[in-house]
Each structure stands twice: as C-alpha cells, then as structure tokens.
Amino acid sequence: MGATGELGGRLAVLAADGGARVVPAGRDTGRLEAVARRTGAPDTLAFDAYDLDLCAALAERAARQLDGLDAVAVSIGAVAFGPCEELPAGVEEHLMTVNALAPLAVLRGAVRALGPGGAVGAVTGIVVERPIATAGAYRASKTALTGWLETARLEQRRHRLTVLEARPPHLATGFAERAVAGTPPRLPEGADPQPWAAAILEALFSGAELLRPGPDGSPLPTALARPAIPT
C-alpha cells in the first residue's frame, strides 16, 4: 500500500527484484501501472484513503490475485505544518484519515488474510519519538498508528504473525515539500531512502518488530522484549 509513493515504490521494486510476487496498491492509477510494469505485477489495486471499507478489503483481494499472501507493507502518508492552535480541523481530520485510519483498515484486513508466519508492517517515522515544532497534528496521527501496531503485536505473537513498525528519519523524498497545508520548518538533510526501503523489506521477513535509526543514523532493526501474554 503506497506503491506510487517514493518509499513504497522502492519497496515494491526491491521485493520484486528479490523474487517476490507483488501487487502494488495506490491512488494514482497511472503511476500504479508504471510500478506494475516495473515489478511484473499480475494486477494493481487502486484505492482512496477515505474509502475505509475498500482499504480493509485490499489484502484479501491481493491474496486472491496471488493465490496466497505472505506479507503486507503500508507506506502512505500526508503531512501538514502549523502551530497546534492554528491548524484547521479539516486538515487534522485529513491527516488522521490518511496516516492512521486508512492504514489501520488495511492492516486489519491483512491480519485476517495472513496465516501463521506472515508479516505486516507500516511506516510511521522517528517523529513519534521526537516532536517537531508545527508538526503536532502529523505526529498525533502517526502516534495513533504506533499505538495500534504495539497492541496488534502483543495480540498476534501467539499466532506467530510479525508486526513491524518502521520509524525512518526525515528522508530525501520531497515528502515535506508536498505538505497539504503550511510550510515545513528547517529540517536536517534528508537521508537516502534506498537503504531504508531495503531495511524495511529485510525486517519484514526476518521477524524484526521495530526499525529505527541507530547511533550513526542507519536503519537498526530490533526484536522487542516480549511481555507475558495472559492465557
């Protein structure tokens, strides 16, 4: 999900180059077709983030096209900038829909479609740990996704389903410059997205549960401590 974006497109191509059969999902049908040609995908899935029922059905549709499904990766997002007391409610609602509700719908459907040994993953961002001035609504929406992933991870361990959260730093994808409202603050130089795409893909299939920047800024996968699960 999000294969028409910079990071999601890289994920799809790397997966296909590694031998996976990929079904790209995105909003822009023209770019979807380009990704499908590059990856040899059997089909594509077009969706709108505001159609939550459609989002929840994407994984099952992909499973039918592929005759089975091993993993689902979600990499979509929207950003806006402005002081917390000034950002319009409509913009906040948009961010919450695109960054939280739509990914949650996709992941909910994915958990239902995947069997033991499968994996789901979603991109949040290091912003969930480190607040950025004028990005309060964006951080709130991404943190909502983090909370769902943490709870789903706890629930799914008994079913041997990997739940991965990727928290990349600011990446050189032009994402901040495509804000739906406001102007981005001064940000550090964006990191190369290619190593992060490769690390996300590797983490998804290695059982890692959290991917965040290490001391040198490079992707560092982590298997989180596993609390006891009540029986």
Side-chain angles (χ1 to χ4, degrees), residues 30-54:
R31 296 184 70 177
L32 265 183
E33 291 302 323
V35 175
R37 289 192 297 271
R38 174 65 181 82
T39 59
D43 203 351
T44 62
L45 298 173
F47 72 92
D48 186 282
Y50 278 81
D51 189 339
L52 299 180
D53 289 338
L54 176 59

Side-chain angles (χ1 to χ4, degrees), residues 25-111:
R27 184 180 62 175
D28 186 319
T29 55
R31 296 184 70 177
L32 265 183
E33 291 302 323
V35 175
R37 289 192 297 271
R38 174 65 181 82
T39 59
D43 203 351
T44 62
L45 298 173
F47 72 92
D48 186 282
Y50 278 81
D51 189 339
L52 299 180
D53 289 338
L54 176 59
C55 289
L58 290 178
E60 183 57 42
R61 289 174 59 189
R64 289 197 300 268
Q65 292 175 4
L66 297 172
D67 193 25
L69 195 63
D70 299 306
V72 172
V74 178
S75 176
I76 68 168
V79 67
F81 299 100
C84 291
E85 74 277 14
E86 295 181 8
L87 205 64
V91 174
E92 293 177 329
E93 179 186 24
H94 179 71
L95 296 187
M96 195 61 70
T97 299
V98 175
N99 296 336
L101 296 180
L104 297 190
V106 174
L107 293 165
R108 185 168 63 248
V111 169

Side-chain angles (χ1 to χ4, degrees), residues 3-230:
T4 56
E6 184 70 26
L7 186 60
R10 291 170 185 266
L11 277 169
V13 169
L14 284 172
D17 288 349
R21 297 175 63 216
V22 176
V23 173
R27 184 180 62 175
D28 186 319
T29 55
R31 296 184 70 177
L32 265 183
E33 291 302 323
V35 175
R37 289 192 297 271
R38 174 65 181 82
T39 59
D43 203 351
T44 62
L45 298 173
F47 72 92
D48 186 282
Y50 278 81
D51 189 339
L52 299 180
D53 289 338
L54 176 59
C55 289
L58 290 178
E60 183 57 42
R61 289 174 59 189
R64 289 197 300 268
Q65 292 175 4
L66 297 172
D67 193 25
L69 195 63
D70 299 306
V72 172
V74 178
S75 176
I76 68 168
V79 67
F81 299 100
C84 291
E85 74 277 14
E86 295 181 8
L87 205 64
V91 174
E92 293 177 329
E93 179 186 24
H94 179 71
L95 296 187
M96 195 61 70
T97 299
V98 175
N99 296 336
L101 296 180
L104 297 190
V106 174
L107 293 165
R108 185 168 63 248
V111 169
R112 294 170 180 165
L114 290 164
V120 298
V123 177
T124 56
I126 200 63
V127 69
V128 303
E129 302 178 24
R130 304 171 188 169
I132 298 173
T134 74
Y138 174 67
R139 182 173 187 248
S141 62
K142 286 294 188 178
T143 302
L145 178 54
T146 292
W148 190 95
L149 291 167
E150 291 174 343
T151 303
R153 183 178 302 123
L154 179 65
E155 294 172 349
Q156 292 303 316
R157 279 173 178 157
R158 69 174 77 235
H159 303 300
R160 296 189 294 111
L161 182 77
T162 293
V163 179
L164 169 69
E165 179 186 0
R167 299 178 182 176
H170 173 55
L171 300 177
T173 61
F175 177 67
E177 287 69 35
R178 295 190 294 273
V180 297
T183 302
R186 180 175 296 180
L187 297 169
E189 182 179 357
D192 183 357
Q194 189 69 10
W196 277 91
I200 291 169
L201 192 64
E202 173 64 25
L204 199 61
F205 289 102
S206 68
E209 297 173 324
L210 180 63
L211 188 66
R212 61 183 307 283
D216 63 353
S218 61
L220 180 66
T222 304
L224 300 176
R226 302 195 171 197
I229 301 174

